[in-house]
Amino acid sequence: PEESDTDPDGEASDEQEEDQEERPAGILRSDLIDLEEWLNSLAEKLKAAEKLGEIPSYADIREGYWAQKPIALMTMLQVVNGVGDGRFEPDRSITRAEFAAMLTRLFGFKETSADPVPFADVAHDHWAKDAIDTLSRLGIIHGYPDGTFRPDAPITRAQFAAIVIRGLGLSENGTTSAFSDVTPGDWSMGAVAKAHEYGIIQGYEDGTFLPNRTVTREEAMVMIARAMKWTGLRTEVSGQDAAAILALF
């Protein structure tokens, strides 16, 4: 079965070219994000990238690749970088720490005086500790019942859905699952249902979601781009010119 978050050999075919929907109330809550400051920050990053005179590219991302545009956009927004030697490694799974860092780079969440969750396995010198602390202070990540965060574990599709929904400021209160393997009683059912309702995640042709399957770097970029459409921002980068995006600001 083909996964609609992945290419024709497992990847997505939709390229998010539809008109942007109006941002629903509740998304990007003011207690999480300063919207004006965030938009200005994105604009500055895009302007800096545009001065380079070309859209970011990687040796292992061919022209026309299904996830090329979201990967380029997230590179321009300094959410993600390559892995060296000009490569992106799109098929590599992302870890929970990596995703925490990506999300904080993208949204620039507000600082809060709340104490972070003292995860037993996130040392004070862990490279992603600041991002993990920020998300835990805001209740976007919770960790495991044993007090760990497991930063180096690959993030699953269910975890991804839950964290994105919380990061957007939405409630995990979806009530109707579109997938045969996500049912009432599953911890992630509300988040997965909500993420599917907003078009952030999709499933397999056989009606499953595979909540415990890990998320790859390319899949993460595509699904984050889908989430961004609800902020009122365009989610694609023109293969010819970044000016079309800059004009939106």
Side-chain angles (χ1 to χ4, degrees), residues 194-209:
K194 181 69 72 172
H196 182 259
E197 174 187 341
Y198 279 79
I200 297 168
I201 55 95
Q202 298 173 16
Y204 288 87
E205 288 187 342
D206 65 359
T208 62
F209 177 64

PDB file of all heavy atoms in Angstrom, residues 194-209:
ATOM      1  N   LYS A 194      -7.360  15.067  14.812  1.00  0.00           N
ATOM      2  CA  LYS A 194      -7.301  16.511  14.569  1.00  0.00           C
ATOM      3  C   LYS A 194      -6.304  16.839  13.455  1.00  0.00           C
ATOM      4  O   LYS A 194      -6.590  17.671  12.582  1.00  0.00           O
ATOM      5  CB  LYS A 194      -6.909  17.234  15.857  1.00  0.00           C
ATOM      6  CG  LYS A 194      -6.829  18.745  15.732  1.00  0.00           C
ATOM      7  CD  LYS A 194      -8.201  19.367  15.528  1.00  0.00           C
ATOM      8  CE  LYS A 194      -9.037  19.320  16.788  1.00  0.00           C
ATOM      9  NZ  LYS A 194     -10.289  20.084  16.671  1.00  0.00           N
ATOM     10  N   ALA A 195      -5.139  16.195  13.471  1.00  0.00           N
ATOM     11  CA  ALA A 195      -4.132  16.441  12.433  1.00  0.00           C
ATOM     12  C   ALA A 195      -4.652  16.014  11.065  1.00  0.00           C
ATOM     13  O   ALA A 195      -4.374  16.663  10.051  1.00  0.00           O
ATOM     14  CB  ALA A 195      -2.832  15.720  12.768  1.00  0.00           C
ATOM     15  N   HIS A 196      -5.404  14.939  11.028  1.00  0.00           N
ATOM     16  CA  HIS A 196      -5.994  14.505   9.754  1.00  0.00           C
ATOM     17  C   HIS A 196      -7.086  15.473   9.317  1.00  0.00           C
ATOM     18  O   HIS A 196      -7.199  15.808   8.126  1.00  0.00           O
ATOM     19  CB  HIS A 196      -6.567  13.091   9.899  1.00  0.00           C
ATOM     20  CG  HIS A 196      -7.146  12.557   8.623  1.00  0.00           C
ATOM     21  ND1 HIS A 196      -8.501  12.537   8.373  1.00  0.00           N
ATOM     22  CD2 HIS A 196      -6.542  12.044   7.523  1.00  0.00           C
ATOM     23  CE1 HIS A 196      -8.710  12.021   7.167  1.00  0.00           C
ATOM     24  NE2 HIS A 196      -7.540  11.721   6.641  1.00  0.00           N
ATOM     25  N   GLU A 197      -7.872  15.948  10.236  1.00  0.00           N
ATOM     26  CA  GLU A 197      -8.922  16.925   9.931  1.00  0.00           C
ATOM     27  C   GLU A 197      -8.339  18.169   9.267  1.00  0.00           C
ATOM     28  O   GLU A 197      -8.926  18.729   8.339  1.00  0.00           O
ATOM     29  CB  GLU A 197      -9.646  17.309  11.221  1.00  0.00           C
ATOM     30  CG  GLU A 197     -10.674  18.429  11.086  1.00  0.00           C
ATOM     31  CD  GLU A 197     -11.232  18.878  12.422  1.00  0.00           C
ATOM     32  OE1 GLU A 197     -11.113  18.116  13.415  1.00  0.00           O
ATOM     33  OE2 GLU A 197     -11.773  19.996  12.496  1.00  0.00           O
ATOM     34  N   TYR A 198      -7.157  18.582   9.721  1.00  0.00           N
ATOM     35  CA  TYR A 198      -6.505  19.772   9.179  1.00  0.00           C
ATOM     36  C   TYR A 198      -5.594  19.452   7.995  1.00  0.00           C
ATOM     37  O   TYR A 198      -4.914  20.332   7.483  1.00  0.00           O
ATOM     38  CB  TYR A 198      -5.710  20.477  10.282  1.00  0.00           C
ATOM     39  CG  TYR A 198      -6.575  21.353  11.161  1.00  0.00           C
ATOM     40  CD1 TYR A 198      -7.366  20.800  12.169  1.00  0.00           C
ATOM     41  CD2 TYR A 198      -6.632  22.730  10.983  1.00  0.00           C
ATOM     42  CE1 TYR A 198      -8.177  21.587  12.965  1.00  0.00           C
ATOM     43  CE2 TYR A 198      -7.427  23.531  11.769  1.00  0.00           C
ATOM     44  CZ  TYR A 198      -8.207  22.960  12.758  1.00  0.00           C
ATOM     45  OH  TYR A 198      -9.005  23.739  13.533  1.00  0.00           O
ATOM     46  N   GLY A 199      -5.559  18.209   7.569  1.00  0.00           N
ATOM     47  CA  GLY A 199      -4.778  17.848   6.389  1.00  0.00           C
ATOM     48  C   GLY A 199      -3.290  17.794   6.612  1.00  0.00           C
ATOM     49  O   GLY A 199      -2.513  17.794   5.652  1.00  0.00           O
ATOM     50  N   ILE A 200      -2.865  17.723   7.876  1.00  0.00           N
ATOM     51  CA  ILE A 200      -1.434  17.704   8.177  1.00  0.00           C
ATOM     52  C   ILE A 200      -0.856  16.312   7.952  1.00  0.00           C
ATOM     53  O   ILE A 200       0.264  16.156   7.466  1.00  0.00           O
ATOM     54  CB  ILE A 200      -1.189  18.171   9.626  1.00  0.00           C
ATOM     55  CG1 ILE A 200      -1.662  19.624   9.783  1.00  0.00           C
ATOM     56  CG2 ILE A 200       0.287  18.050   9.997  1.00  0.00           C
ATOM     57  CD1 ILE A 200      -1.727  20.089  11.233  1.00  0.00           C
ATOM     58  N   ILE A 201      -1.612  15.307   8.338  1.00  0.00           N
ATOM     59  CA  ILE A 201      -1.170  13.927   8.134  1.00  0.00           C
ATOM     60  C   ILE A 201      -2.201  13.196   7.288  1.00  0.00           C
ATOM     61  O   ILE A 201      -3.379  13.567   7.243  1.00  0.00           O
ATOM     62  CB  ILE A 201      -0.919  13.188   9.468  1.00  0.00           C
ATOM     63  CG1 ILE A 201      -2.157  13.234  10.375  1.00  0.00           C
ATOM     64  CG2 ILE A 201       0.278  13.783  10.183  1.00  0.00           C
ATOM     65  CD1 ILE A 201      -3.031  12.035  10.272  1.00  0.00           C
ATOM     66  N   GLN A 202      -1.735  12.187   6.588  1.00  0.00           N
ATOM     67  CA  GLN A 202      -2.600  11.335   5.790  1.00  0.00           C
ATOM     68  C   GLN A 202      -2.257   9.885   6.101  1.00  0.00           C
ATOM     69  O   GLN A 202      -1.389   9.619   6.921  1.00  0.00           O
ATOM     70  CB  GLN A 202      -2.417  11.655   4.303  1.00  0.00           C
ATOM     71  CG  GLN A 202      -2.798  13.098   3.968  1.00  0.00           C
ATOM     72  CD  GLN A 202      -2.466  13.475   2.543  1.00  0.00           C
ATOM     73  OE1 GLN A 202      -2.225  12.614   1.711  1.00  0.00           O
ATOM     74  NE2 GLN A 202      -2.461  14.766   2.259  1.00  0.00           N
ATOM     75  N   GLY A 203      -2.943   8.970   5.468  1.00  0.00           N
ATOM     76  CA  GLY A 203      -2.712   7.576   5.789  1.00  0.00           C
ATOM     77  C   GLY A 203      -2.446   6.729   4.567  1.00  0.00           C
ATOM     78  O   GLY A 203      -2.206   7.246   3.476  1.00  0.00           O
ATOM     79  N   TYR A 204      -2.486   5.444   4.768  1.00  0.00           N
ATOM     80  CA  TYR A 204      -2.241   4.498   3.687  1.00  0.00           C
ATOM     81  C   TYR A 204      -3.525   4.184   2.934  1.00  0.00           C
ATOM     82  O   TYR A 204      -4.637   4.369   3.443  1.00  0.00           O
ATOM     83  CB  TYR A 204      -1.665   3.201   4.259  1.00  0.00           C
ATOM     84  CG  TYR A 204      -0.247   3.314   4.739  1.00  0.00           C
ATOM     85  CD1 TYR A 204       0.031   3.735   6.027  1.00  0.00           C
ATOM     86  CD2 TYR A 204       0.809   2.990   3.899  1.00  0.00           C
ATOM     87  CE1 TYR A 204       1.338   3.834   6.472  1.00  0.00           C
ATOM     88  CE2 TYR A 204       2.120   3.075   4.337  1.00  0.00           C
ATOM     89  CZ  TYR A 204       2.379   3.497   5.621  1.00  0.00           C
ATOM     90  OH  TYR A 204       3.674   3.602   6.063  1.00  0.00           O
ATOM     91  N   GLU A 205      -3.353   3.678   1.723  1.00  0.00           N
ATOM     92  CA  GLU A 205      -4.506   3.340   0.904  1.00  0.00           C
ATOM     93  C   GLU A 205      -5.363   2.246   1.516  1.00  0.00           C
ATOM     94  O   GLU A 205      -6.552   2.125   1.208  1.00  0.00           O
ATOM     95  CB  GLU A 205      -4.061   2.923  -0.503  1.00  0.00           C
ATOM     96  CG  GLU A 205      -3.570   4.097  -1.342  1.00  0.00           C
ATOM     97  CD  GLU A 205      -3.305   3.699  -2.780  1.00  0.00           C
ATOM     98  OE1 GLU A 205      -3.176   2.480  -3.036  1.00  0.00           O
ATOM     99  OE2 GLU A 205      -3.233   4.590  -3.630  1.00  0.00           O
ATOM    100  N   ASP A 206      -4.777   1.432   2.381  1.00  0.00           N
ATOM    101  CA  ASP A 206      -5.558   0.361   2.998  1.00  0.00           C
ATOM    102  C   ASP A 206      -6.322   0.834   4.231  1.00  0.00           C
ATOM    103  O   ASP A 206      -6.921   0.029   4.957  1.00  0.00           O
ATOM    104  CB  ASP A 206      -4.666  -0.826   3.363  1.00  0.00           C
ATOM    105  CG  ASP A 206      -3.631  -0.489   4.434  1.00  0.00           C
ATOM    106  OD1 ASP A 206      -3.581   0.659   4.895  1.00  0.00           O
ATOM    107  OD2 ASP A 206      -2.862  -1.408   4.799  1.00  0.00           O
ATOM    108  N   GLY A 207      -6.307   2.159   4.480  1.00  0.00           N
ATOM    109  CA  GLY A 207      -7.072   2.717   5.587  1.00  0.00           C
ATOM    110  C   GLY A 207      -6.346   2.753   6.909  1.00  0.00           C
ATOM    111  O   GLY A 207      -6.930   3.112   7.932  1.00  0.00           O
ATOM    112  N   THR A 208      -5.057   2.416   6.917  1.00  0.00           N
ATOM    113  CA  THR A 208      -4.289   2.457   8.155  1.00  0.00           C
ATOM    114  C   THR A 208      -3.470   3.744   8.231  1.00  0.00           C
ATOM    115  O   THR A 208      -3.255   4.431   7.229  1.00  0.00           O
ATOM    116  CB  THR A 208      -3.330   1.252   8.270  1.00  0.00           C
ATOM    117  OG1 THR A 208      -2.393   1.294   7.180  1.00  0.00           O
ATOM    118  CG2 THR A 208      -4.107  -0.050   8.234  1.00  0.00           C
ATOM    119  N   PHE A 209      -2.999   4.033   9.443  1.00  0.00           N
ATOM    120  CA  PHE A 209      -2.137   5.188   9.680  1.00  0.00           C
ATOM    121  C   PHE A 209      -0.729   4.775  10.081  1.00  0.00           C
ATOM    122  O   PHE A 209       0.226   5.490   9.845  1.00  0.00           O
ATOM    123  CB  PHE A 209      -2.749   6.065  10.780  1.00  0.00           C
ATOM    124  CG  PHE A 209      -1.907   7.251  11.156  1.00  0.00           C
ATOM    125  CD1 PHE A 209      -1.649   8.258  10.241  1.00  0.00           C
ATOM    126  CD2 PHE A 209      -1.357   7.354  12.427  1.00  0.00           C
ATOM    127  CE1 PHE A 209      -0.856   9.357  10.586  1.00  0.00           C
ATOM    128  CE2 PHE A 209      -0.574   8.443  12.781  1.00  0.00           C
ATOM    129  CZ  PHE A 209      -0.325   9.451  11.856  1.00  0.00           C
TER     130      PHE A 209
END
